[in-house]
Amino acid sequence: MKKGTSKLLACFMCIAMAFTLVFAVACEATVTGITVSSAGNVTEIEVGQTLQLTASVLPENAPQGVDWTSGNTDKATVNNTGLVTAKAAGNVIITAKSTANAEIKKDFALVITPSTPVVDNTPKSITLTTAGNATEVGIGSTLKVNATVSPATASQEVIWATSDAQTATVSNGVVTGVKLGEVTVTATAKNAAAVTKSIKLTVVEGGTTPSTDYGKLPFSTHAEYLEAENGTNLKVKGAVTYIASSGGGSVSYYIQNGQDAYYVFGQDSAQFAVEVGKVYAVGGSKRLYRTGAHEIIDVEYFEALDERITATETSLDDKDVSSQEATMAYHGAVVTGTATVTVTPTTSTKAYSVNVTVNGKDTTLRVDAGNLESSVLTAINAKLSAALAGVTIDFKGVLTHYGNGNFKAPQVLIYSADDITVSEPTPIAKVNIVKDALTVSGFIKADDLSIKLPTVSDAFADVNIAWRSDNAAVIANDGAVTHPEKDTIVTLTATLTHNEDSTATATKEFKVNVAGSTFNAEKLLELDFEDAEEPNQYGQSATKPGYTNKDTGEGVDAANTVTLGGNDWILTGTLISSAAGGDHTDGTFAGRMSAKQGKVETTVAGEYNYVEFDVATYGSQSHGTVVTVMYKMADGNEWLECGMTVVVNSYELSTCRIVLADGAKNVRICVASGNGNVNIDNIRLYK
């Protein structure tokens, strides 16, 4: 090859390589976003566990490199591959940031729970008891000996033995007298042969004598059952409506005679077996359990009756289901009704409640997984998973009460999937359900260039949503945002239409404050919770350690008024918690507003034009909680809605600013809807 030709070829090769490099660079797109997912879509792990996160940079042909960081390395660390290691309980944000454009990042909210303690299930000891501390058993009669293995986490299975089968036999703890004499009955832990306990019994003529002569005791009325003090011996009768639980040698159940119903807890199932529909007379001791449930325990007397008793089903559709007093007569009884779901439930393999209204009053349908066979729970969950907020449920269950505070809330215990029917909403009902659930956050921060405006419902694919802005120069109809110089309120109107029924339509308006490029308002008042008193062992400040206080006689507002930053604030349904208590704070303390009732309001009247505050979710079920702002005008005492809401979806504190009407005198920030509590901090009022 000639020398000149060689140089020419080399030149062409250089040009080709340069073109290839330029072409390759040109094909590598600009990073526009990042998505972060977890293995198995897990959002909650225990201390000591790991979780693999995966980041995908958008678009696909953009540089895929990311840097991983943890918002709190004391709670969790993350390596350069996205593997998270949980260090301490709490909430933490893991962030994936593009290596090509550090301004593009994505947060992943992770809940870390305490590690499951290692439990020693080895049997250590056994306790033997009998009803009424009886030590005698009659010839031909039986006496049940109850064995309790400690610790409670150990297997409760024991092996029974008798010192003389000619005098008395024993089977599953049931001792049967054979002839006069003394006998020793021994229980040995099945999993630990060295752990034993014995009881000496005497076989006598005739049967055992219970501590109370229940044969002569009259049947108690339902009112007497409710009013009886703890420890009072009662005798009741009825037909079994529902067996709540069985296992460990005991059974709990409801019996009902007409409308009157009773709950029997922890009856010995080997000695006294029960069946649904059968009629029994039951004698035992009254107990008022801490959740408010009236119970009969320590059953000594049990007799099957040859009677026909009807359990009356009471409709709650005309009752005040929110009132304990109004429903007390029906507690333990089978009830029916039609409920409207107020909050879309999250079904679970554990106990959970469905928030509903019946006859316009709030109550809950309770699903207690611990008392249900797995197949029954699965069937109930399958039905209730379709119970979106706004749909109706026809139900049948047992009316109970639940709660650890002074007020025990009535609720309906659901025990069969056959007893619940979830309605299929009509087109207009679907539209209204979507409308009621539709939310738009009332503040757009200065660095947000778009707002998400859904066009199709996640709940119903046949409901479409169209948007219209009254100021498209600031917020376009597709959600694109252009920030003006000063804060500007834009009204967005959503029009919802059903695909197959054009008459099924509705509209909903949202007011949105778009942050301006400058904000020069005068700050008049501030609350940052920093001068609250020291926290207690639970991390809650002594200034306001609980959600509510009792009425001091001067009114509820007075009881909930605290002095912070030199000014009085009313904290209703709100406590003050420290960072050590798991709250997200910008300092030592934050306020935690409870779901549906949390409020923080000023007592200092002023001429307020803006309210600004930092807010974050508290707990894994708090995402989507809606916070709103109300105000009083200078010429009135009525609280008015400002028309703007804040949808809280972040574990980290995020600032929002709401515009108030001219002449606003007092301001209230409150939880409007949602499943969980929210943290609030750094409240600022401006003129």
Side-chain angles (χ1 to χ4, degrees), residues 520-539:
N520 298 317
E522 177 188 358
K523 182 167 65 177
L524 300 180
L525 204 61
E526 183 171 10
L527 170 62
D528 65 2
F529 297 99
E530 288 310 284
D531 59 347
E533 298 176 65
E534 291 296 314
N536 57 24
Q537 59 180 321
Y538 304 108

Side-chain angles (χ1 to χ4, degrees), residues 252-333:
S252 301
Y253 58 96
Y254 294 87
I255 63 173
Q256 188 170 338
N257 185 354
Q259 177 186 289
D260 296 341
Y262 313 91
Y263 179 47
V264 183
F265 177 80
Q267 179 172 302
D268 188 319
S269 58
Q271 186 178 11
F272 304 130
V274 297
E275 295 181 38
V276 172
K278 295 288 185 68
V279 177
Y280 302 100
V282 183
S285 177
K286 163 67 183 292
R287 179 176 73 171
L288 177 61
Y289 192 54
R290 64 186 180 89
T291 59
H294 295 264
E295 305 173 342
I296 294 176
I297 63 173
D298 298 332
V299 173
E300 294 184 275
Y301 175 83
F302 187 77
E303 181 184 2
L305 301 179
D306 186 19
E307 295 185 26
R308 298 191 64 179
I309 288 180
T310 300
T312 304
E313 296 180 2
T314 300
S315 172
L316 298 180
D317 288 340
D318 60 348
K319 307 291 189 300
D320 181 356
V321 294
S322 65
S323 166
Q324 189 76 304
E325 182 179 0
T327 59
M328 186 58 73
Y330 315 107
H331 276 287

Side-chain angles (χ1 to χ4, degrees), residues 226-250:
L226 295 177
E227 294 169 1
E229 296 182 357
N230 284 350
T232 303
N233 287 335
L234 302 173
K235 184 174 72 172
V236 299
K237 70 176 179 179
V240 176
T241 57
Y242 168 50
I243 299 175
S245 65
S246 60
S250 66

